Amino acid sequence: MDIGKLKIAFNTLDSIDPTDELAYEKAITTFNSIGHLPIFIVTVEKSKVFRTRTHDTADHFTNISDIAITPRNFVKDFARCNRPFQSTFYSSENRPTSFMELIEYWAETKNFGDKLYITIGLWETTRPVNLIIVTTPDISKRESQFDKYHGEAYDEHLKNRSKKEQEFSALFFNYLFDKFRKPAKHDPKTYIITTAYANLALTQAKELADGISYPSVPFKGNGVNLALKESYSKTLKLTHAMWTEFEITPIDEGKHSFTESKSILTEKIDLATGTIQW
């Protein structure tokens, strides 16, 4: 564990040109150059997650696959934990967090007077989920409940390790913590860095990790997101779904207000046929 190599790697990552067609590959190579990739995993025995699908018409989806993981061919851009043409099941611990993750997108793509339609699904895990956690060793930065809780687990995880490993991990996770807590809507470099770590960590952890968990940036850390591997998403069970219509109106300083005007719950979800009845 070479601290010098680690600091050089940080400088290299921060100097990556996101418009370079090999930017992602350079980020992967840089993470590999440090020699040891810190990975911190926790297991959640049972969980429920929410996933929101935005659509342009008032039509109701009738197939579970319509609100499940996005097919690879429709994934065109980098996000927090995926590269283009990589299917990742993004979900949140509750309904408000799931909405907040999309507010910026809605505000940029919708006009006042428009109507917005979303379908949100409630999914249950059918087996324990192993999640890679990115938190901070710095107690003063643990502001969210997520970081307070997992920060204590991180301390316990490293307390019997060598001083050198503790120092190496502290430097590494403090750097990565800042990237995962940084708004990156129009910042492809940050997404390239976080995705490079996520995919490399998932690759090295193999079956020991099913996804990444991190606090919601738009929700100021008040909610938690899960970015689950495509393979794990196939084990989730859809239990409920809700179709909702929003009216879009202006508020102070020309900002968008999204007011829920209609909602419909599913009557039946048939897992055997993969269909939804409204």
Side-chain angles (χ1 to χ4, degrees):
M1 297 181 185
D2 191 322
I3 299 296
K5 282 185 178 181
L6 187 58
K7 292 180 178 179
I8 291 172
F10 293 160
N11 290 332
T12 302
L13 288 168
D14 288 336
S15 67
I16 286 176
D17 178 0
T19 64
D20 185 335
E21 64 179 356
L22 296 177
Y24 177 70
E25 288 74 13
K26 289 179 179 179
I28 290 285
T29 300
T30 301
F31 275 116
N32 276 326
S33 73
I34 69 177
H36 169 71
L37 190 73
I39 303 173
F40 175 46
I41 300 174
V42 301
T43 299
V44 179
E45 293 298 328
K46 195 171 184 180
S47 183
K48 295 181 180 180
V49 296
F50 292 80
R51 176 174 169 81
T52 299
R53 165 80 191 272
T54 305
H55 39 110
D56 296 322
T57 69
D59 295 341
H60 297 163
F61 293 120
T62 56
N63 295 302
I64 293 175
S65 59
D66 292 329
I67 61 173
I69 193 168
T70 305
R72 298 176 188 180
N73 57 304
F74 291 113
V75 182
K76 305 299 184 183
D77 301 304
F78 278 95
R80 188 70 66 176
C81 297
N82 75 273
R83 55 169 171 71
F85 304 106
Q86 177 185 3
S87 292
T88 300
F89 189 92
Y90 285 99
S91 55
S92 304
E93 66 171 348
N94 54 45
R95 187 169 177 250
T97 304
S98 186
F99 285 174
M100 284 299 297
E101 287 297 313
L102 294 168
I103 287 291
E104 290 181 351
Y105 169 75
W106 293 344
E108 288 182 356
T109 58
K110 300 295 180 181
N111 299 314
F112 301 135
D114 287 349
K115 289 188 176 180
L116 169 71
Y117 306 98
I118 66 100
T119 299
I120 187 166
L122 175 59
W123 303 77
E124 287 185 355
T125 58
T126 58
R127 65 174 176 82
V129 54
N130 300 314
L131 297 168
I132 294 173
I133 303 294
V134 177
T135 189
T136 175
D138 187 342
I139 296 176
S140 66
K141 292 182 179 180
R142 296 174 185 170
E143 298 178 355
S144 67
Q145 288 301 313
F146 177 95
D147 289 313
K148 290 176 181 177
Y149 178 79
H150 291 298
E152 290 183 1
Y154 170 89
D155 294 341
E156 183 68 21
H157 175 68
L158 282 177
K159 73 176 184 179
N160 294 322
R161 305 297 175 91
S162 68
K163 185 176 180 180
K164 185 175 183 180
E165 182 174 355
Q166 290 178 5
E167 182 182 359
F168 186 93
S169 293
L171 284 172
F172 183 86
F173 277 114
N174 271 326
Y175 174 83
L176 208 60
F177 174 84
D178 290 339
K179 301 300 181 185
F180 270 86
R181 302 308 185 276
K182 182 181 180 182
K185 180 66 177 176
H186 298 293
D187 180 8
K189 183 193 294 188
T190 294
Y191 279 163
I192 287 170
I193 292 171
T194 56
T195 295
Y197 172 75
N199 282 338
L200 196 56
L202 287 169
T203 300
Q204 292 191 11
K206 299 180 181 178
E207 71 280 358
L208 296 179
D210 301 306
I212 314 289
S213 183
Y214 54 95
S216 168
V217 173
F219 211 2
K220 308 299 182 184
N222 291 318
V224 176
N225 292 322
L226 290 80
L228 301 173
K229 292 193 299 188
E230 182 181 31
S231 57
Y232 186 86
S233 74
K234 295 176 181 178
T235 70
L236 296 172
K237 181 175 71 174
L238 180 67
T239 60
H240 298 83
M242 176 187 288
W243 172 95
T244 304
E245 175 190 272
F246 289 91
E247 294 181 349
I248 305 173
T249 55
I251 52 174
D252 295 342
E253 301 177 356
K255 294 182 180 179
H256 291 64
S257 174
F258 300 91
T259 304
E260 187 174 316
S261 50
K262 294 180 185 177
S263 288
I264 301 174
L265 286 170
T266 49
E267 290 186 0
K268 181 181 179 181
I269 294 172
D270 191 328
L271 299 177
T273 61
T275 57
I276 302 172
Q277 296 178 20
W278 299 91

